[in-house]
Amino acid sequence: MVKFAKHAALLALLLLAGCQRGMAPPAFHADGKPLRLSDWHMVEARDGKLELNAGVVPYSLNTPLFTDYVHKLRTVWMPKGVSAKYDAKNTFDFPIGTVVTKTFYYPRAADGKFSDVARTLDYSGDFTGQDLNLASVHLVETRLLVRRKEGWTPFVYVWNQAQTEATLVRTGDVQALTLVDAQNQREDFNYVVPDEGQCVNCHEADMIGRSILPIGPKARHLNRDYDYGSGRENQLEHLVAIGYLMDLPKLADVPKNADWRDPSASLDARARAWLDVNCAMCHNPNGEASVTGFSLGPDVPEDHHLGLCKSPEAAGPATGGRLFDIVPGKPDASIIMHRIGSAQPGVMMPEIGRSTVDREGEALIRAWILSLKGNCDIVR
């Protein structure tokens, strides 16, 4: 009875919030390709803010995927009366009608030039469970994954310069931007918005069926607290409370990835979390990189399956002349360091999704490889 009362109260608050904002109800389009992001009524630019509709729930990941230092606002919405089913390892089983959104944006650089964006890992002032202030951020794109009867369907919407609407793009987009750090160091780069077909490259669930799945909504990524504006709460428990998730076990039994920037977590846990979210979507037995025999999921043992002293299967010239995927204690002799430290097409990993190098992530994996024991005198 207490849980039901809490559930009802939360839903009432969500509905009230939607009425106060004056938005039309969230819309699930079972077919077709809506031309505007606002056709979905999930997130909308209104009165100088990017606002979430009633029932559109924000979430974040313990360790997020790197994309050119862009910040991301993730949300999930489901129709009334349905819930996702918990899974300890894989993406949750979401019901038909689920809409997952991810809005890519940058804090604006201090000089105010539209193409200048801040290179910062500080998310603290971005979003507090309510909205994004459009005066301080530069919206780039919003991607949707929509659970239709036939499976998940991707949509990519690019924001206009006025920051008032995002329109559907099917062939991608390229935007010339400049990253500006706290020391006013500048880095020009091309932000690449993927085309429809490229979404499959990262989100492919299996190579045979070519079906796709969301990457982030897994137990180990979501098991963390989030500031919903009214206070912090564990994300998984929050989803249960509002009726979006069922069959959640005790939190003590739920897996949890480390925050890659958390100094209290072990170096191994932080590095494995970074590799999991940035690489394992392809480097797993069913992914695009399954033919390599090089897996980077969280449960892969530290042996040749994880690339230790393993010769590459299909990297070709992208090895940079190196012999093994990972050489314990020797990052500069490891192919993985060569590839994550490159922004050159055909060499860099991941193959798409970035035009710059994740310097902090690169430093983390370097430190992790330095900490690994063993040698590659015996070729496996």
Side-chain angles (χ1 to χ4, degrees), residues 7 14 21-22 34 48 55 69 83 91 134 136 138 144 169 175 190 193 248 263 273 277 290 301 304 328 352:
H7 182 185
L14 290 171
R21 293 168 188 166
Y69 291 97
S83 304
T91 300
L134 297 182
S136 59
H138 174 141
L144 272 62
V169 296
Q175 299 185 18
N190 287 323
V193 177
L248 176 70
V277 79
S290 60
H304 66 284
I352 61 173

Side-chain angles (χ1 to χ4, degrees), residues 59-61 74-76 84-85 87 89-94 98 100 145 152 203 213-222 236 239 245:
Y59 67 91
S60 60
L61 311 183
R74 302 169 176 85
T75 74
V76 60
K85 294 181 181 178
D87 189 295
K89 183 177 180 180
N90 303 306
T91 300
F92 296 157
D93 183 6
F94 287 94
T98 300
V100 176
L145 280 176
W152 289 95
H203 288 273
L213 287 172
I215 296 171
K218 298 183 177 73
R220 63 184 182 273
H221 297 317
L222 296 180
L236 295 173
L239 292 175
L245 181 63

Side-chain angles (χ1 to χ4, degrees), residues 138-289:
H138 174 141
L139 300 176
V140 182
E141 59 167 319
T142 296
R143 302 178 193 175
L144 272 62
L145 280 176
V146 180
R147 179 65 171 88
R148 290 175 164 174
K149 184 177 180 180
E150 65 273 17
W152 289 95
T153 304
F155 298 88
V156 181
Y157 295 87
V158 172
W159 286 90
N160 59 20
Q161 188 162 339
Q163 306 281 267
T164 55
E165 180 64 277
T167 55
L168 182 69
V169 296
R170 303 187 63 180
T171 57
D173 189 34
V174 178
Q175 299 185 18
L177 299 175
T178 300
L179 285 168
V180 184
D181 67 14
Q183 289 73 44
N184 205 35
Q185 297 295 311
R186 302 170 65 85
E187 179 182 358
D188 296 331
F189 74 105
N190 287 323
Y191 182 98
V192 179
V193 177
D195 62 43
E196 271 186 7
Q198 288 176 314
C199 294
V200 178
N201 290 11
C202 291
H203 288 273
E204 187 175 58
D206 66 272
M207 293 187 66
I208 297 175
R210 301 291 287 179
S211 60
I212 65 174
L213 287 172
I215 296 171
K218 298 183 177 73
R220 63 184 182 273
H221 297 317
L222 296 180
N223 187 7
R224 56 168 292 163
D225 288 349
Y226 189 88
D227 182 0
Y228 293 96
S230 58
R232 298 189 67 81
E233 185 180 355
N234 180 274
Q235 294 184 135
L236 295 173
E237 291 185 328
H238 182 76
L239 292 175
V240 170
I242 64 172
Y244 277 12
L245 181 63
M246 60 190 301
D247 300 332
L248 176 70
K250 295 178 181 179
L251 282 183
D253 298 326
V254 177
K256 182 177 182 178
N257 267 13
D259 177 345
W260 72 286
R261 299 177 62 198
D262 181 3
S264 69
S266 71
L267 174 60
D268 184 72
R270 290 187 290 126
R272 294 297 296 269
W274 189 95
L275 292 169
D276 180 13
V277 79
N278 283 281
C279 311
M281 64 277 197
C282 291
H283 283 275
N284 69 77
N286 296 314
E288 283 275 337

Side-chain angles (χ1 to χ4, degrees), residues 21 23 37 42-53 72-75 101-105 126-135 137-142 159 163-166:
R21 293 168 188 166
M23 294 188 197
L37 178 64
M42 299 291 164
V43 297
E44 293 186 15
R46 300 167 59 87
D47 301 322
K49 297 178 181 179
L50 184 71
E51 297 184 346
L52 310 189
N53 208 340
K72 301 169 187 177
L73 170 59
R74 302 169 176 85
T75 74
T101 82
K102 184 162 57 173
T103 296
F104 296 69
Y105 67 95
D126 290 5
F127 187 83
T128 56
Q130 300 298 320
D131 50 53
L132 281 174
N133 182 357
L134 297 182
V137 302
H138 174 141
L139 300 176
V140 182
E141 59 167 319
T142 296
W159 286 90
Q163 306 281 267
T164 55
E165 180 64 277

Side-chain angles (χ1 to χ4, degrees), residues 64-122:
L65 172 70
F66 174 81
T67 311
D68 290 332
Y69 291 97
V70 75
H71 293 202
K72 301 169 187 177
L73 170 59
R74 302 169 176 85
T75 74
V76 60
W77 174 84
M78 297 177 209
K80 292 180 182 179
V82 295
S83 304
K85 294 181 181 178
Y86 173 85
D87 189 295
K89 183 177 180 180
N90 303 306
T91 300
F92 296 157
D93 183 6
F94 287 94
I96 293 172
T98 300
V99 179
V100 176
T101 82
K102 184 162 57 173
T103 296
F104 296 69
Y105 67 95
Y106 287 97
R108 295 195 181 187
D111 65 6
K113 188 177 178 181
F114 189 72
S115 61
D116 286 358
V117 295
R119 178 188 176 276
T120 176
L121 297 176
D122 182 6

Side-chain angles (χ1 to χ4, degrees), residues 292-294 300-313 323-328 335 372-380:
T292 68
F294 182 21
V300 178
E302 286 192 0
D303 57 20
H304 66 284
H305 295 289
L306 189 65
L308 273 65
C309 300
K310 177 190 168 301
S311 299
E313 299 293 334
L323 298 178
F324 303 108
D325 291 328
I326 296 176
V327 180
I335 296 171
L372 297 175
K373 306 300 180 184
N375 59 68
C376 297
D377 291 342
I378 300 176
V379 179
R380 302 185 185 188

Side-chain angles (χ1 to χ4, degrees), residues 348-364:
M348 70 177 189
M349 281 289 174
E351 293 179 315
I352 61 173
R354 67 178 179 89
S355 300
T356 62
V357 174
D358 180 358
R359 302 175 197 169
E360 293 77 12
E362 180 186 20
L364 172 67

